[in-house]
Amino acid sequence: MNELRTCVFPCAGFGTRFFPATKVIPKEMLPLVDKPILQYGIEEAVASGLDKLVIVTSKGKDSILDHFDRTAELERSLQERKKTDLLEEVEAVSTMVDLISVRQKEALGLGHAVLMARDAVGPNPFAVILPDDVILADEPCLLQMRHVFEETGRPVVALMEVPPEETSRYGIVGGDQLGNRRFRIRDMVEKPKINPPSRYAIIGRYILPPEIFPVLEKTERGSGGEIQLTDALRELVRTGDFYGYVFDGKRYDAGEKLGYLKATVDYALKHPQIGPEFRAYLKAVFGGNGKADEAAPRSTPRART
Ligand code: UTP
């Protein structure tokens, strides 16, 4: 079986759901507590055993690459001031990975962004992580999926069960539940308005064969005038076994405001340094009954209403 080493991170979208914050700052660089959103995805890929990481960027997103680069001047300054803890943190980020960067010159859709990574990926299977789908899990989501890929040698996508009223917002799969969190996918429907084939939605993690590239090349612009990855996946489903894995963990859509706030709260509560104090703060604000309480600490300015 071909080795799975490569992970592609499409980061070339406009991030309009988070305007105006993302007009200049890439959404992948918004901080989730103390790390940019993208770093969580990179750490997930590395923890899943992938070491060839390809970032698909666009104009104005160079700060993404800078974040994972060496910052010699900063490191020297921290060394001189004996800020060893900070120095270690900064060095850990720049030595974590070597990134390969490719450009998507026009935002023609997720499918097109993945196609831009073709030469960098080469002839082997590869993973795709959509960085704004942040997943909190004991075992990294991509590693959970990797087990299925290693057993079957076939494509795998991450699935999440959604309430019936939300199926119209996602790509929904149809097929057979195999037990053990596995699903044999026979069809996919993008944002079904009626009669969804199941309640399992495709989430931003994929393990794909290189055969997806010629399919993407032929994929016409679909919904929203964009080249959709789902349209190419549907073609691939016709050519052989294709699996879904209902991952164990919690997913946040950090590419929109509410999802981002929920992720911020949950990640902050789990943070080893600020978690306990943040929990105490929330308790003081909500007074244990879920309602904001006048006992809220006064040192923090209140939001303007
Ligand atoms: P999204 O639809 O979530 O991202 O695409 P977006 O287009 O940036 O966001 P909105 O809808 O305008 O708020 C899913 C992923 O695909 C990437 C995005 O960067 C995101 O990671 N993408 C999307 C590209 O790389 N290129 C594209 O042309 C479109």
Side-chain angles (χ1 to χ4, degrees), residues 9 42 44 99 150 164 186 194 253 263 285 291 294:
F9 297 84
I42 300 252
E44 179 180 329
L99 299 179
E150 274 168 1
R186 302 210 183 269
I194 48 162
D253 182 359
V285 172
K291 291 194 178 124
E294 279 311 299

Side-chain angles (χ1 to χ4, degrees), residues 9-19 22 27-28 56-58 61 104 106-114 129-133 226-227 253 255-256:
F9 297 84
C11 297
F14 286 124
T16 49
R17 288 171 299 150
F18 224 129
F19 274 177
T22 47
K27 70 175 165 186
E28 297 78 14
V56 185
T57 63
S58 54
K61 296 218 175 190
Q104 186 189 24
E106 220 183 323
L108 294 179
L110 173 59
H112 182 255
V114 172
I129 287 185
L130 304 191
D132 47 2
D133 271 349
E226 295 190 334
I227 297 172
D253 182 359
E256 57 92 23

Side-chain angles (χ1 to χ4, degrees), residues 2-301:
N2 294 324
E3 211 186 346
L4 180 65
R5 277 187 56 200
T6 308
C7 189
V8 175
F9 297 84
C11 297
F14 286 124
T16 49
R17 288 171 299 150
F18 224 129
F19 274 177
T22 47
K23 225 183 112 196
V24 177
I25 300 169
K27 70 175 165 186
E28 297 78 14
M29 291 307 291
L30 295 178
L32 208 46
V33 188
D34 54 3
K35 291 187 262 187
I37 289 177
L38 176 61
Q39 194 171 327
Y40 292 89
I42 300 252
E43 288 176 359
E44 179 180 329
V46 172
S48 304
L50 283 76
D51 61 358
K52 184 177 160 193
L53 308 189
V54 182
I55 310 279
V56 185
T57 63
S58 54
K59 198 166 183 298
K61 296 218 175 190
D62 291 346
S63 60
I64 293 181
L65 301 170
D66 289 347
H67 176 74
F68 293 96
D69 206 346
R70 292 297 298 267
T71 39
E73 226 172 284
L74 170 65
E75 287 167 35
R76 212 175 312 118
S77 159
L78 292 172
Q79 207 153 23
E80 277 163 16
R81 290 184 289 142
K82 304 218 178 324
K83 305 244 178 202
T84 358
D85 287 1
L86 287 181
L87 181 63
E88 269 171 26
E89 273 180 48
V90 166
E91 281 179 342
V93 175
S94 52
T95 53
M96 185 186 299
V97 279
D98 281 325
L99 299 179
I100 300 167
S101 144
V102 298
R103 282 258 181 167
Q104 186 189 24
K105 291 188 182 157
E106 220 183 323
L108 294 179
L110 173 59
H112 182 255
V114 172
L115 183 57
M116 295 301 99
R118 181 184 200 160
D119 287 347
V121 168
N124 290 319
F126 64 103
V128 177
I129 287 185
L130 304 191
D132 47 2
D133 271 349
V134 178
I135 296 176
L136 195 55
D138 290 337
E139 183 179 26
C141 177
L142 197 56
L143 185 54
Q144 297 177 38
M145 295 163 65
R146 187 180 184 145
H147 300 318
V148 182
F149 171 74
E150 274 168 1
E151 240 173 70
T152 62
R154 301 296 307 168
V156 188
V157 294
L159 297 180
M160 177 177 88
E161 192 172 0
V162 297
E165 65 278 12
E166 288 183 18
T167 48
S168 61
R169 292 207 245 143
Y170 295 90
I172 302 292
V173 297
D176 315 312
Q177 286 201 48
L178 305 174
N180 213 7
R181 297 182 169 270
R182 283 151 205 239
F183 208 100
R184 181 170 296 115
I185 297 175
R186 302 210 183 269
D187 196 13
M188 297 174 183
V189 189
E190 189 59 29
K191 303 191 172 88
K193 288 200 176 70
I194 48 162
N195 300 330
S198 76
R199 278 171 49 184
Y200 290 98
I202 303 175
I203 295 307
R205 302 286 184 278
Y206 313 78
I207 297 178
L208 300 172
E211 287 76 28
I212 192 76
F213 291 122
V215 180
L216 277 169
E217 220 163 28
K218 280 193 245 116
T219 303
E220 308 266 335
R221 291 187 190 211
S223 106
E226 295 190 334
I227 297 172
Q228 299 288 351
L229 181 61
T230 315
D231 290 341
L233 294 182
R234 198 178 302 116
E235 278 298 308
L236 209 59
V237 165
R238 297 207 184 104
T239 65
D241 284 353
F242 194 119
Y243 292 94
Y245 188 76
V246 185
F247 66 91
D248 185 14
K250 189 168 174 189
R251 172 259 186 185
Y252 306 85
D253 182 359
E256 57 92 23
K257 295 162 197 175
L258 191 58
Y260 174 82
L261 286 175
K262 289 178 184 173
T264 301
V265 169
D266 285 359
Y267 276 83
L269 286 170
K270 281 192 172 289
H271 193 280
Q273 275 119 39
I274 62 164
E277 212 174 310
F278 185 57
R279 185 176 299 277
Y281 171 76
L282 289 185
K283 266 201 186 137
V285 172
F286 294 108
N289 60 6
K291 291 194 178 124
D293 188 328
E294 279 311 299
R298 288 285 170 199
S299 58
T300 312

